[in-house]
Amino acid sequence: MKFIIETYGCQMNVADSELIISILENYKSLQPEEMFEYTEDINQAQIIIFNTCSVRENAERRVLGRISNEISRKQRDRSILIGVVGCMAQRLGEKLNLKSNKRGIYPQIDFVAGVDQYEKLPEIIQECKKKHKFIAQTTFNYDENYTDLLPSRTNKLNAFVTIMRGCNNFCTYCIVPYTRGRERSRPVEEILKEIKQAGEEGYYDVTLLGQNVNSYRYEDINFPKLLQRANQIDSIKRLRFITSHPKDLSDELIEVMANSEKVCEHIHLPVQSGNNEILKRMNRNYTAEHYISTIQKLRNAMPNIAITTDVIAGFSGETEEQFMDTFNLMKEIRYDFAYMFKYSERSGTKATEFKDSVPEKERLARLQRLIDQQTIITTEKYKQKIGCVEEIYVESFSRKNANLLSGKTRDFKITVFEGDESLIHSFVKVKIIDAVGWTLKGKLIADD
Ligand code: 5AD
Ligand code: SF4
């Protein structure tokens, strides 16, 4: 039985999809003709799985739109199964299959599996197929860490390794603690084994994943110590991690980052707001001053570090003055890049109880002001790279210009340059000669 997974949302979902592929493909107790086989061609797939995101309403709407498209495929071939996994599956469970008044919820969905149920997917699918009945399994299992499972990687050069799952922070706007459950860290040795193996298979750039990697702890090993151990693995060349919470980013981590040659000069540190009152209402547990001082420490230790962030415009109760604190903080910090969102109410979260919501039009207008400012800063930051020599991990031909090779700098900037196909999957040095939009243009330089 051929299956496809369409993945939405964060890198954790990308990693989970790789895990699901591995679970299904390695499921042994089936007749040979019933074995699960991954395909990237939806026309061949008998099982279509959507790995979903709930973080903003738009994300859910988009997936529901896609599901509705694929339901027409089922009307042509009734044997096709449609399944939903991930955060939206966890949040809505069997409601996804109910014919309700709400637009976009479909009785044609065959199975729903929550984030801790992926090991049961082979049985869920088989039962669903045999008995022609809808199945939803969404109970949390805080012991579930997907131990001893190696993901089937879909990206050819970069590996994502999950080090912890879940979140205990309960930022008041965020649905994740409800859809992903409580924090749990994977055993150190297992993580190190997975990184080593990824490197041996040619995935030289490894990103450690967790909702809040800084709260990783397994026995007496905290995140900086894990990173230090990972840095010693010979088979990989670059190490990254997402996401860090500013309240937990320790001096110890900054020191380890600065002294570990494989740890790349980039940090993603979501600020969310530049106003202390709003940060408090968001339950972020840090102040703008603390955040700025953390950035200073990072820059003192690693002068060339690239810094990216997430911000939310128009959170409930945000006044124009409070919004300007965010605007000004972004101007002061000068991020290399920012993911900017307008606040989206998520039912069940604490922030929906706050009364004074900002009108939708105003949220959008504020978001646009942030985007306009950041676009200028990002362009300037990229232009500053002109003249620098950068190490590029060559990934492929450029999607926009098939005559150019494309790869990333250590600080996560896409760089294109002229070169031979044989350079793909290697590390080269280029001199940056131009910056167009958010792409650097380089010229290959000979190795001394
Ligand atoms: N509305 C808007 N943005 C949100 N995020 C999380 N929840 C919401 C929400 N309800 C953003 C945060 C987070 C990123 C992954 O998504 O900025 O860091
Ligand atoms: Fe959501 Fe906050 Fe947890 Fe991040 S730290 S996943 S924003 S609750």
Side-chain angles (χ1 to χ4, degrees):
M1 279 191 292
K2 291 196 173 154
F3 68 97
I4 188 168
I5 303 192
E6 223 173 89
T7 308
Y8 293 83
C10 63
Q11 289 304 339
M12 183 71 87
N13 269 5
V14 175
D16 279 357
S17 288
E18 293 180 344
L19 208 60
I20 291 171
I21 296 171
S22 167
I23 290 169
L24 288 174
E25 287 202 322
N26 291 312
Y27 188 67
K28 293 282 182 278
S29 61
L30 281 178
Q31 300 299 320
E33 67 280 5
E34 288 187 326
M35 295 285 277
F36 295 108
E37 189 188 332
Y38 177 64
T39 174
E40 285 182 351
D41 177 3
I42 197 156
N43 296 313
Q44 303 246 331
Q46 290 144 298
I47 306 163
I48 305 172
I49 303 174
F50 293 90
N51 193 354
T52 59
C53 170
S54 284
V55 92
R56 281 170 295 277
E57 201 186 335
N58 262 345
E60 290 199 347
R61 213 178 292 140
R62 206 145 43 97
V63 185
L64 288 171
R66 274 291 301 133
I67 296 175
S68 110
N69 288 343
E70 294 313 327
I71 278 173
S72 60
R73 203 179 281 276
K74 248 187 102 133
Q75 281 150 4
R76 273 174 272 144
D77 178 354
R78 297 206 60 80
S79 71
I80 288 178
L81 295 181
I82 294 190
V84 182
V85 302
C87 287
M88 198 166 84
Q90 190 69 49
R91 191 173 89 78
L92 294 172
E94 55 190 31
K95 284 195 206 128
L96 273 166
N97 174 266
L98 293 180
K99 200 175 187 74
S100 77
N101 302 330
K102 262 203 183 153
R103 214 199 64 174
I105 298 203
Y106 306 107
Q108 291 92 335
I109 291 172
D110 297 287
F111 62 92
V112 172
V115 296
D116 290 337
Q117 297 294 330
Y118 298 156
E119 287 198 80
K120 295 213 190 99
L121 264 174
E123 285 99 356
I124 293 176
I125 295 174
Q126 272 180 304
E127 197 180 329
C128 187
K129 196 166 175 66
K130 277 199 193 102
K131 300 193 179 150
H132 301 286
K133 68 166 195 188
F134 168 74
I135 302 178
Q137 291 211 9
T138 55
T139 32
F140 277 125
N141 172 7
Y142 294 145
D143 294 330
E144 183 56 275
N145 242 329
Y146 298 108
T147 313
D148 290 332
L149 270 169
L150 282 170
S152 257
R153 304 202 186 279
T154 47
N155 175 316
K156 301 212 166 38
L157 302 170
N158 305 298
F160 296 100
V161 175
T162 303
I163 63 164
M164 52 89 66
R165 308 177 73 87
C167 182
N168 291 352
N169 288 314
F170 290 93
C171 300
T172 55
Y173 52 81
C174 187
I175 194 77
V176 169
Y178 305 94
T179 59
R180 290 256 169 204
R182 297 292 66 74
E183 279 173 8
R184 58 217 102 142
S185 295
R186 288 180 68 198
V188 183
E189 294 308 327
E190 207 177 293
I191 294 168
L192 297 175
K193 192 173 90 187
E194 193 175 319
I195 299 173
K196 180 166 174 279
Q197 180 156 349
E200 284 164 359
E201 289 172 6
Y203 301 93
Y204 299 138
D205 189 322
V206 171
T207 304
L208 307 181
L209 289 183
Q211 258 76 38
N212 175 13
V213 290
N214 303 94
S215 53
Y216 176 86
R217 175 164 285 276
Y218 189 81
E219 291 164 355
D220 57 345
I221 302 288
N222 62 7
F223 182 60
K225 295 206 170 56
L226 175 71
L227 200 61
Q228 219 166 15
R229 298 269 305 269
N231 184 60
Q232 289 159 4
I233 296 175
D234 290 332
S235 61
I236 60 160
K237 298 208 166 63
R238 289 181 174 183
L239 256 175
R240 312 176 180 281
F241 53 88
I242 44 176
T243 295
S244 290
H245 195 304
K247 76 176 164 58
D248 302 316
L249 197 147
S250 62
D251 293 350
E252 184 189 7
L253 177 62
I254 297 175
E255 201 183 316
V256 169
M257 286 178 76
N259 294 322
S260 304
E261 52 171 14
K262 289 176 184 163
V263 177
C264 291
E265 294 73 29
H266 170 220
I267 190 155
H268 184 65
L269 199 60
V271 66
Q272 314 297 3
S273 167
N275 175 270
N276 288 342
E277 198 51 43
I278 294 291
L279 285 169
K280 211 174 195 171
R281 280 168 75 101
M282 288 177 161
N283 192 30
R284 290 291 287 175
N285 282 304
Y286 55 83
T287 60
E289 293 74 21
H290 172 86
Y291 183 91
I292 291 171
S293 91
T294 307
I295 298 282
Q296 273 159 359
K297 283 187 204 165
L298 283 159
R299 283 182 167 155
N300 287 343
M302 291 159 279
N304 294 325
I305 190 168
I307 300 173
T308 56
T309 200
D310 295 342
V311 274
I312 298 178
F315 184 61
S316 288
E318 185 189 73
T319 63
E320 168 65 21
E321 291 70 37
Q322 290 171 328
F323 165 74
M324 280 310 291
D325 285 345
T326 304
F327 188 89
N328 289 330
L329 176 136
M330 292 180 76
K331 188 167 166 183
E332 181 182 340
I333 290 182
R334 292 179 64 77
Y335 291 104
D336 291 72
F337 188 82
Y339 297 89
M340 294 161 276
F341 310 103
K342 69 177 163 71
Y343 172 55
S344 162
E345 275 96 359
R346 308 311 291 133
S347 80
T349 60
K350 176 97 177 122
T352 55
E353 295 165 18
F354 301 159
K355 296 278 176 291
D356 38 3
S357 72
V358 175
E360 180 70 14
K361 219 170 126 197
E362 182 57 25
R363 288 183 213 183
L364 258 176
R366 288 181 190 172
L367 172 63
Q368 195 56 50
R369 285 156 70 191
L370 293 182
I371 292 173
D372 290 346
Q373 168 174 258
Q374 185 57 44
T375 304
I376 296 169
I377 296 172
T378 296
T379 308
E380 287 171 357
K381 282 265 176 182
Y382 275 57
K383 290 252 187 256
Q384 269 173 20
K385 284 273 174 182
I386 295 174
C388 298
V389 171
E390 295 285 332
E391 179 201 78
I392 309 294
Y393 182 27
V394 191
E395 294 178 15
S396 59
F397 281 108
S398 160
R399 258 186 286 163
K400 289 193 192 132
N401 180 346
N403 295 319
L404 297 176
L405 292 173
S406 171
K408 286 196 196 75
T409 59
R410 280 175 61 97
D411 70 352
F412 213 62
K413 294 184 169 64
I414 292 177
T415 306
V416 296
F417 61 98
E418 279 175 22
D420 189 78
E421 185 175 4
S422 62
L423 294 177
I424 291 175
H425 204 179
S426 71
F427 290 81
V428 298
K429 289 260 164 64
V430 305
K431 184 164 186 173
I432 305 302
I433 52 173
D434 201 1
V436 183
W438 297 338
T439 304
L440 299 175
K441 183 141 198 294
K443 191 169 172 11
L444 202 54
I445 54 177
D447 248 343
D448 316 310

